[in-house]
């Protein structure tokens, strides 16, 4: 097996091989209870406190299907342009793993609830790429293994492992693409764009919180290479549980360069699962990948088949919201955005935040300026997503209103926002506590202007001689003396009046 250092230059990879992708995305649904029992479906909690005989697989415990999960699965299928099965059922996927309490996973195999769909995704240059969907099927999540004593939290080098079954039985929808071909050099970009579009869609459907950092959205990236002119796909690897959009792109790119180097050296690709290392951007071998036959699927005897009526399916179709790409097209027209400005909004994850700020009273230009410029930098510096920054659209709209009312300058407004981000309360409370309100009292301003003019008599003389542009130096001095709290426009007016 090649080491992580034996990589082929990416340009040469594209010249010699055609990549084939297959993306499997696991989505945890945010139903109130688990897939087959009444245990709470809540992230976190003390280990092994959200469990019962059903999700622990105790003898004699019988499962019952979560109706809300079925509804969510159908809505996801419809949004992905899938056909919805008139009849489907669950199966047992048999394999041993310590965090699988039943030694099998209740899933769907050859009879998924949704199949034959597609998702059109927008690439960085605005072009569309269609990703075809093989199926979206229902299943349950596993528990979680905690490896203690190692340096990286993995089993290798760990002294012992602990098992937390709180996640066992959480409702999952697994969305599986058909083989994705024809991407060429853009394969990593297509993978990232697809997972991004899927995340946005699931969020709009309100079926999951799609928190990749918490594991409620996870991507398994299958990658193989075909020599130019070959008729058959190459052997694939599956990089498991990639948990960020950027990492999806990096994992695909790394696997392409790793596999190409190995093939060029006369080696062969092992069909296996691999782990992605966020710190190095590389993958490492996990375990040999099983085939479907190895799992010995058979129909789940304890659950009745699912047979959604056509009337119910159409009723659920009517609940689908405005889809993210449709909304973007609408706001682009309403806000008069260029394609580049819209892409900046989308890439920053700011479309919904700007829209909510506009709904709270700001103009699109004002809201966009705050979220895409200043707040995006704040989010990056704090290492959080924009939506998790700790300030609401309504609060930003109030700050904008204070600026428009002349009660804050733009500089003071940034201080107010910083105060809100630091947990100091609502914008008005921060203004009061920090003493940030603009000084608009003419008597106070006149005193500051007089002092500034007296300190710079040469500048005052230039203004009296008609060189009005020189007033900028006096404005700056007054702003410094008032700690940025003076109304700069009014200060300038007073300076001109004093020097007339």
């Amino acid at each position: 097996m090649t080491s992580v250092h034996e990589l082929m230059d990416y340009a040469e990879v594209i010249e010699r091989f055609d990549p084939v992708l297959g993306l499997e995305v696991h989505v945890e649904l945010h139903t109130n209870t688990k897939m087959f029992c009444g245990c709470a479906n809540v992230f976190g909690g003390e280990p092994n406190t959200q469990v019962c005989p059903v999700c622990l697989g105790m003898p004699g415990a019988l499962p019952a299907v979560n109706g809300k999960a079925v509804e969510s699965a159908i809505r996801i299928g419809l949004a992905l342009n899938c056909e919805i099965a008139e009849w489907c059922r669950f199966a047992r996927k048999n394999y041993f793993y310590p965090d699988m309490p039943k030694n099998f996973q209740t899933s769907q195999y050859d009879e998924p609830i949704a199949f034959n769909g597609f998702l059109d995704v927008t690439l960085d240059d605005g072009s569309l790429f269609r990703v075809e969907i093989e199926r979206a099927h229902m299943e349950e999540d596993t528990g979680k293994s905690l490896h203690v004593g190692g340096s990286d939290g993995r089993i290798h080098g760990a002294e012992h492992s602990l098992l937390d079954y709180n996640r066992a039985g959480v409702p999952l929808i697994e969305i599986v693409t058909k083989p994705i071909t024809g991407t060429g050099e853009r394969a990593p970009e297509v993978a990232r764009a697809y997972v991004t579009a899927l995340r946005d869609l699931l969020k709009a459907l309100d079926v999951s919180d799609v928190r990749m950092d918490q594991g409620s959205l996870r991507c398994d990236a299958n990658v193989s290479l075909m020599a130019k002119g070959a008729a058959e796909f190459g052997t694939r690897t599956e990089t498991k549980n990639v948990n960020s959009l950027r990492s999806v792109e990096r994992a695909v790119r790394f696997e392409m360069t790793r596999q190409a180097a190995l093939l060029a050296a006369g080696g062969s690709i092992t069909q296996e699962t691999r782990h992605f290392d966020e710190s190095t951007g590389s993958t490492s071998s996990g375990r040999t990948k099983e085939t479907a036959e190895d799992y010995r699927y058979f129909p789940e005897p304890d659950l009745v088949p699912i047979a959604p009526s056509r009337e119910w399916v159409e009723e659920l179709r009517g609940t689908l919201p405005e889809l993210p790409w449709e909304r973007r097209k609408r706001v682009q027209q309403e806000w008069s955005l260029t394609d580049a400005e819209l892409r900046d909004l989308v890439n920053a994850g700011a479309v919904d935040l700007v829209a909510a700020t506009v709904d709270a009273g700001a103009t699109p230009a004002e809201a966009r300026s705050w979220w895409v410029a200043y707040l995006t930098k704040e989010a990056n510096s704090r290492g959080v997503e924009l939506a998790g920054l700790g300030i609401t659209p309504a609060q930003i709209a109030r700050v904008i209103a204070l600026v428009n009312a002349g009660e804050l300058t733009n500089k003071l407004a940034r201080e107010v926002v910083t105060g809100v981000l630091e947990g100091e309360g609502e914008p008005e409370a921060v203004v009061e506590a920090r003493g940030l309100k603009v000084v608009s009292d003419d008597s106070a301003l006149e005193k500051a202007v007089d002092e500034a003019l007296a300190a710079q008599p040469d500048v005052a003389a230039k203004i009296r001689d008609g060189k009005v542009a020189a007033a900028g130096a006096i404005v700056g001095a007054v702003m410094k003396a008032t700690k940025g709290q003076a109304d700069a426009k009014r200060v300038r007016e007073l300076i001109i009046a004093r020097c007339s």
Side-chain angles (χ1 to χ4, degrees), residues 312-331:
W312 187 37
V313 171
E314 291 309 308
E315 179 183 331
L316 292 176
R317 191 189 302 276
T319 69
L320 298 183
E322 182 181 31
L323 299 180
W325 37 93
E326 295 171 348
R327 187 183 193 194
R328 290 168 192 159
K329 185 181 297 184
R330 175 176 59 80
V331 300

Side-chain angles (χ1 to χ4, degrees), residues 178-189:
K178 295 181 180 180
I180 304 171
T181 60
T183 59
E185 65 180 355
R186 305 186 76 171
E189 179 191 348

Side-chain angles (χ1 to χ4, degrees), residues 68 70-79 84 201-207 310-324 326:
K68 186 66 176 180
V70 176
E71 177 183 304
S72 295
I74 294 173
R75 294 178 72 240
I76 291 171
L78 292 171
I84 305 300
L201 174 62
L202 295 165
K203 186 176 181 180
L205 291 171
D206 192 27
V207 295
R310 296 303 89 181
E311 292 78 14
W312 187 37
V313 171
E314 291 309 308
E315 179 183 331
L316 292 176
R317 191 189 302 276
T319 69
L320 298 183
E322 182 181 31
L323 299 180
E326 295 171 348

Side-chain angles (χ1 to χ4, degrees), residues 15-236:
E15 183 180 337
R16 299 179 60 172
F17 298 96
D18 289 321
V20 179
L21 306 180
L23 300 172
E24 303 171 13
V25 175
H26 297 79
V27 186
E28 286 186 353
L29 303 178
H30 59 27
T31 52
N32 292 329
T33 56
K34 293 185 180 181
M35 188 71 206
F36 301 114
C37 68
C39 290
N41 177 18
V42 180
F43 178 78
E46 289 297 315
N48 299 309
T49 58
Q50 295 158 199
V51 295
C52 73
V54 174
C55 57
L56 289 177
M58 297 296 184
L62 293 176
V65 176
N66 185 321
K68 186 66 176 180
V70 176
E71 177 183 304
S72 295
I74 294 173
R75 294 178 72 240
I76 291 171
L78 292 171
L80 290 172
N81 305 290
C82 288
E83 299 176 49
I84 305 300
E86 295 189 15
W87 188 94
C88 64
R89 58 183 171 180
F90 287 96
R92 289 189 180 184
K93 180 181 181 181
N94 296 274
Y95 64 98
F96 171 78
Y97 209 68
D99 58 13
M100 181 73 70
K102 298 184 294 189
N103 287 342
F104 65 85
Q105 180 185 32
T106 305
S107 180
Q108 291 185 308
Y109 173 47
D110 56 347
E111 298 170 301
I113 193 165
F115 53 93
N116 287 342
F118 66 87
L119 181 61
D120 289 329
V121 302
T122 303
L123 303 184
D124 292 344
D125 62 0
S127 61
L128 292 179
F129 189 95
R130 175 162 292 187
V131 176
E132 295 188 336
I133 307 296
E134 177 71 33
R135 67 183 186 274
H137 65 259
M138 299 179 288
E139 59 185 24
E140 60 181 335
D141 211 342
T142 63
K144 186 175 182 180
S145 298
L146 306 173
H147 306 298
V148 181
S151 59
D152 58 3
R154 293 182 178 164
I155 193 169
H156 301 293
E159 297 175 357
H160 62 277
S161 297
L162 302 173
L163 296 174
D164 178 7
Y165 290 119
N166 280 349
R167 196 177 66 181
V170 166
L172 279 183
I173 303 297
E174 181 176 356
I175 301 166
V176 182
T177 70
K178 295 181 180 180
I180 304 171
T181 60
T183 59
E185 65 180 355
R186 305 186 76 171
E189 179 191 348
V190 168
R192 169 178 52 79
Y194 167 74
V195 179
T196 301
L198 191 56
R199 183 190 66 169
D200 291 346
L201 174 62
L202 295 165
K203 186 176 181 180
L205 291 171
D206 192 27
V207 295
S208 172
D209 60 14
V210 292
R211 290 282 301 272
M212 297 188 80
D213 59 318
Q214 293 183 357
S216 56
L217 181 70
R218 311 190 292 271
C219 178
D220 297 343
N222 292 268
V223 179
S224 66
L225 296 177
M226 300 169 61
K228 292 288 186 181
E232 295 183 359
F233 294 160
T235 302
R236 64 185 172 89

